[in-house]
Amino acid sequence: MLEPLETGPACGRWLDQLAGELERLEGQGLKRVTRAVQGAIGPEVVIDGRRLILAAANDYLGLAGDPEVIEAAVEAARSHGAGAGAARLISGTFDLDHRLEAELAGFKGTEAALVFSTGYLANLGVVTALTGPGDAIFSDQLNHASIVDGCRLSKAERFVFGHGDVDHLDRLLTEHGSRFRRRLIVTDGVFSMDGDLAPLPELASLARRHEAMLVVDDAHATGVIGPNGGGSLDHFGLKDDRIIQIGTMSKALGCLGGFAAGPAVVIDYLRNTARPFFYTTALPPAVLGAALKALDIVRRRPERRERVLALARKLRAELTGQGWSVPVGETPIVPVIIGDSQDALAASARLNELGIMIPAIRPPTVAPGTARLRIALSAGHTDQHLARIVEAFRTLKEEMGL
Ligand SMILES: *Cc1c(COP(=O)(O)O)cnc(C)c1O
């Protein structure tokens, strides 16, 4: 009789290898753990029984814990139930999905929008549905992992251009572009670990010149930048109705879900071909209700984004003044580059002791040698919160000699 697989010698070796790999990660300062928050996400959270200032979440407008948003979630759950019951195309589409799609299209200034269960799935869906064998994808070196995974799943050929390097992209398009049936340029609008913006006007003009489609992942820009909070196109005053915008409700909108917005024909094509739209259960009503309310607040309350952007400007100035390496940027993402992963971990641990939660972001999320503390601010942070963060970094500088 065969031994059950999980106790067989080969499997035992396999488990030993996994344990060895985890030990190796720990030795390099690359091991990950999950820390449970007790209670709601907000400018302060309780972790392991200690109250900390949270400067790590992507909840830039403080909407995850907003009473109006929470109430809208509760109401939607009461009227529509707890779960969607199926994927969007089976029976999982609520009137709330259609309302949200109409609102998102209006907000983004596009003909149509399609809601996915997460931003990750929206990226997989757009990239794999729009490209295939015989097509080429031109992707920024620092694009989010969900775009990278979309490129890997697509049968198209992928070319990576230097971060924000339009000349490099131009050369790649000129050299290789015409060999392919179709060309897709894809970029984050705001880069998640650096907080900088893609050069969208230049990318849009390259796309026109090389007859390429431009896809902008605005996960960190939606609701935050631009005069109307519309994201990076809004920021640059770019009106080009052929650009496809991806977004998420999981960051500034404080809840969950992704979307694609663009020309009606593209959106209808995604609805008919994107596997991540077909094969996963639709968002629950509470999330749809919350997202609709959050979008409404983004439109009514511009002072929220003005507040978080002003806090970020102040923090950048203070930290640069203390001698930290802070890349130039104009978003609520303020990275402090440390370099070594162990140093970044130690700095994050010391900040935690000082009452502040700021994560160390390490490879493979960022390039080797560029481990960093990623500060993410919220409109809910007070001036006192900011002063405490600044003070903690001063202490860190003195103690750790970083
Ligand atoms: C967070 C993020 C995503 C994924 O969005 P989720 O809704 O969290 O799945 C996609 N792209 C970028 C740039 C992101 O930062």
Side-chain angles (χ1 to χ4, degrees):
M1 211 178 97
L2 290 173
E3 279 182 87
L5 189 59
E6 57 274 24
T7 60
C11 197
R13 271 201 303 282
W14 194 336
L15 299 189
D16 289 343
Q17 281 164 4
L18 299 184
E21 178 68 10
L22 287 170
E23 252 172 54
R24 188 184 64 77
L25 286 174
E26 181 144 34
Q28 296 175 332
L30 295 178
K31 178 120 188 289
R32 265 75 170 171
V33 294
T34 49
R35 291 214 168 74
V37 169
Q38 288 120 39
I41 290 294
E44 293 184 11
V45 287
V46 178
I47 295 177
D48 298 333
R50 292 177 58 235
R51 179 166 285 280
L52 300 173
I53 296 173
L54 178 69
N58 303 316
D59 178 28
Y60 303 119
L61 303 179
L63 293 178
D66 183 273
E68 272 191 84
V69 174
I70 295 169
E71 191 48 41
V74 170
E75 265 175 40
R78 285 231 171 78
S79 58
H80 290 70
R88 289 285 310 272
L89 290 167
I90 305 296
S91 64
T93 295
F94 294 102
D95 52 347
L96 299 170
D97 284 282
H98 287 158
R99 263 176 57 204
L100 182 57
E101 287 170 346
E103 293 287 334
L104 287 167
F107 182 58
K108 285 290 187 178
T110 60
E111 285 176 358
L114 188 67
V115 166
F116 288 75
S117 295
T118 66
Y120 189 101
L121 292 173
N123 272 330
L124 288 194
V126 168
V127 175
T128 58
L130 296 182
T131 64
D135 297 329
I137 303 169
F138 298 84
S139 175
D140 187 287
Q141 183 191 355
L142 293 189
N143 274 345
H144 189 260
S146 53
I147 296 176
V148 176
D149 292 355
C151 295
R152 286 177 180 163
L153 271 179
S154 161
K155 303 279 193 302
E157 192 155 328
R158 178 168 59 125
F159 298 89
V160 175
F161 59 93
H163 176 50
D165 188 342
V166 283
D167 294 331
H168 187 205
L169 173 59
D170 193 9
R171 283 200 304 279
L172 287 174
L173 281 161
T174 305
E175 214 166 297
H176 304 286
S178 56
R179 279 198 282 125
F180 294 90
R181 178 178 58 158
R182 301 180 303 200
R183 292 148 294 282
L184 183 132
I185 302 169
V186 59
T187 183
D188 284 14
V190 166
F191 287 85
S192 52
M193 296 302 139
D194 294 71
D196 58 334
L197 283 145
L200 284 192
E202 290 84 353
L203 294 181
S205 94
L206 275 186
R208 276 193 299 275
R209 192 140 57 75
H210 292 276
E211 295 180 5
M213 198 180 270
L214 177 59
V215 174
V216 179
D217 174 1
D218 243 359
H220 293 278
T222 301
V224 182
I225 62 168
N228 304 306
S232 47
L233 274 74
D234 188 24
H235 172 86
F236 287 111
L238 192 59
K239 290 205 170 46
D240 182 336
D241 55 13
R242 284 163 306 179
I243 295 176
I244 298 163
Q245 301 178 60
I246 311 242
T248 165
M249 282 89 82
S250 64
K251 286 163 185 164
L253 299 184
C255 47
L256 182 70
F259 65 90
V265 61
V266 171
I267 297 305
D268 204 23
Y269 188 77
L270 293 174
R271 190 184 289 114
N272 280 276
T273 56
R275 290 170 65 87
F277 182 74
F278 276 50
Y279 297 114
T280 195
T281 298
L283 286 171
V287 166
L288 299 168
L292 277 161
K293 179 56 76 180
L295 199 53
D296 174 49
I297 294 176
V298 165
R299 291 172 139 167
R300 277 192 286 120
R301 306 285 305 276
E303 65 276 13
R304 290 216 184 204
R305 58 180 171 273
E306 286 154 15
R307 164 81 186 158
V308 72
L309 293 175
L311 284 172
R313 269 194 300 278
K314 181 141 200 295
L315 183 62
R316 279 172 200 281
E318 294 274 2
L319 295 181
T320 307
Q322 288 179 11
W324 295 100
S325 161
V326 181
V328 183
E330 42 199 319
T331 69
I333 303 168
V334 182
V336 179
I337 311 296
I338 303 293
D340 178 69
S341 293
Q342 298 281 19
D343 286 347
L345 263 191
S348 172
R350 183 66 182 121
L351 287 171
N352 191 292
E353 285 170 10
L354 295 168
I356 298 165
M357 167 126 175
I358 294 173
I361 307 289
R362 295 156 285 161
T365 309
V366 293
T370 71
R372 65 199 62 189
L373 297 163
R374 177 184 183 271
I375 310 173
L377 293 173
S378 153
H381 284 128
T382 61
D383 292 347
Q384 289 76 10
H385 287 137
L386 198 79
R388 277 187 56 199
I389 295 171
V390 169
E391 213 32 60
F393 271 89
R394 197 186 310 284
T395 305
L396 210 58
K397 191 101 208 161
E398 286 163 9
E399 288 179 358
M400 303 186 73
L402 291 172

